[in-house]
Amino acid sequence: MNMCLCLGPTGSGKTLLLKTLQSREGVDTVSSTVPTTGTNLVTVRFGNHKQIAVREVGGAMAPIWRSYYSGIESIMYVVDASNLCQIAAAGVLLYTILAQPCLQKVKVLLVLSKMDASYRQMRNEALLMLQFAQLKKEISQNISVVEASAMTGEGIDSVLKWLQGNSIASLKPSK
Ligand SMILES: Nc1nc2c(ncn2[C@@H]2O[C@H](COP(=O)(O)OP(=O)(O)OP(=O)(O)O)[C@@H](O)[C@H]2O)c(=O)[nH]1
Ligand SMILES: [Mg+2]
């Protein structure tokens, strides 16, 4: 089975996003999640009997994320777009991941999460603070961006589409 790795700073919304991907409706977004200590493996099933395993490694585990890189085909990197303080650091972390020699062939999805909680115009600030334009130039991987919310369901279809291997229209950061 294909394996996707889900990484990102602690509290960025990985666990709730995976829950939403796993069961598209009926996700309990009221009771809160707890920080993932260790990893959290979910299987996302598609209508056509295809499935993909997605492994979240908690943000608290960032120092040892690299021990999960082998055999990975894609990486979903979740950044909380409503938390501008965390974003710059998240960008540096992403850069470190994508510079790994063993990850040069992976497909990457940058998920700007909690889009319900942030102001619309924060998307550009988020990409700016991530130094996204620069990052895109320097990495060899194919990177797509999606704005998502586990609360409203925004962007969930795009993430599923990406997981199934279909390309999604990548958003261009505006000046
Ligand atoms: N408003 C809003 N809150 C969200 C969303 N996704 C997650 N949250 C909240 O953000 C907090 C952290 O979410 P988690 O999914 O546990 O974050 P995580 O990335 O798994 O964190 P670690 O496991 O510590 O790495 C929780 O209180 C969630 O309810 C979202 O789309 N919108
Ligand atoms: Mg988690």
Side-chain angles (χ1 to χ4, degrees), residues 33 37 41 84 96 118 140 160:
T33 55
T37 51
L41 186 67
L84 288 182
T96 322
S118 62
S140 64
L160 288 166

Side-chain angles (χ1 to χ4, degrees), residues 33-143:
T33 55
V34 293
T36 307
T37 51
T39 77
N40 167 28
L41 186 67
V42 306
T43 305
V44 179
R45 288 170 217 285
F46 303 109
N48 51 6
H49 298 291
K50 278 210 280 186
Q51 57 185 31
I52 183 163
V54 184
R55 183 190 298 281
E56 169 195 357
V57 190
M61 307 261 291
I64 59 158
W65 276 348
R66 69 166 66 90
S67 45
Y68 296 91
Y69 291 165
S70 85
I72 291 304
E73 278 158 21
S74 55
I75 291 181
M76 200 157 41
Y77 192 77
V78 183
V79 174
D80 177 352
S82 71
N83 184 351
L84 288 182
C85 303
Q86 198 185 53
I87 285 184
V92 175
L93 260 179
L94 176 59
Y95 192 86
T96 322
I97 296 168
L98 298 183
Q100 292 282 325
C102 64
L103 294 178
Q104 295 311 301
K105 298 265 186 291
V106 300
K107 219 174 56 150
V108 185
L109 181 66
L110 174 65
V111 181
L112 301 177
S113 71
K114 307 194 193 181
M115 269 300 167
D116 56 283
S118 62
Y119 301 111
R120 239 25 213 145
Q121 64 268 29
M122 273 201 185
R123 174 186 161 263
N124 289 336
E125 275 84 347
L127 291 175
L128 209 63
M129 293 188 81
L130 278 166
Q131 303 237 23
F132 187 73
Q134 187 64 27
L135 179 90
K136 221 176 158 173
K137 267 188 237 154
E138 291 186 18
I139 61 174
S140 64
Q141 297 89 343
N142 184 312
I143 185 164

